[in-house]
Amino acid sequence: MNKQRQIQLTPAEQAAFLQEGHKAALATLDKDGFPHVVAMGFLAKDDAIYMTSYAKAQKVVNIKRNPKVGLMIETGKNYGDFRGLMIRGHCVIIEDSALVAGSFKSFRRSRAGKPRRRVKRSPARQNG
């Protein structure tokens, strides 16, 4: 058996991985055909991945021009610990305000009760 088949996640493992609350890297294509990659939170529900964004964000502009996207969801700090899931597909932008509100509600519910990591930030330097 080849190495790729040995490390490939089963559908059940993929579904469980998507529920663990990782961040994702969303790749869209800009007007010149180059990748535009941004970090995103997401909700996996009903065999779809939901994300939220501002309508004027570059990723949304890119998706309206070309709906082909890539999504990389990963975890691990060292090479031997890396686990990830790459998803390629066509993105649909939901602009219906009731559907968007429902997505936000589901997103908040999915994050409720999960521990939040606090990041200690250095005080901002002021240039004078």
Side-chain angles (χ1 to χ4, degrees):
M1 180 180 278
N2 72 23
K3 184 72 169 170
Q4 185 174 359
R5 289 186 194 269
Q6 290 175 342
I7 63 173
Q8 193 170 19
L9 298 174
T10 67
E13 290 170 329
Q14 291 175 25
F17 185 76
L18 289 171
Q19 298 305 315
E20 291 175 10
H22 306 289
K23 67 179 181 289
L26 173 66
T28 61
L29 296 172
D30 71 13
K31 66 180 166 71
D32 298 318
F34 287 97
H36 177 259
V37 183
V38 295
M40 298 289 293
F42 68 93
L43 170 66
K45 180 180 170 190
D46 302 328
D47 292 328
I49 304 292
Y50 293 88
M51 299 176 179
T52 59
S53 185
Y54 294 103
K56 294 183 180 181
Q58 186 62 54
K59 61 190 160 284
V60 175
V61 172
N62 293 343
I63 291 165
K64 285 182 177 180
R65 185 179 5 350
N66 182 343
K68 291 180 181 177
V69 299
L71 189 64
M72 177 64 180
I73 303 157
E74 53 84 18
T75 186
K77 294 190 185 254
N78 299 312
Y79 185 77
D81 299 328
F82 288 165
R83 288 188 322 137
L85 183 59
M86 182 182 69
I87 300 169
R88 295 184 294 182
H90 292 84
C91 184
V92 175
I93 297 173
I94 300 170
E95 297 186 70
D96 179 281
S97 58
L99 288 173
V100 171
S103 294
F104 270 113
K105 193 174 188 178
S106 291
F107 192 79
R108 281 192 303 273
R109 251 188 275 129
S110 76
R111 299 292 178 230
K114 291 187 180 178
R116 291 184 169 214
R117 293 187 330 180
R118 293 196 150 228
V119 177
K120 186 173 181 179
R121 299 189 189 269
S122 304
R125 284 194 259 168
Q126 294 180 354
N127 294 331

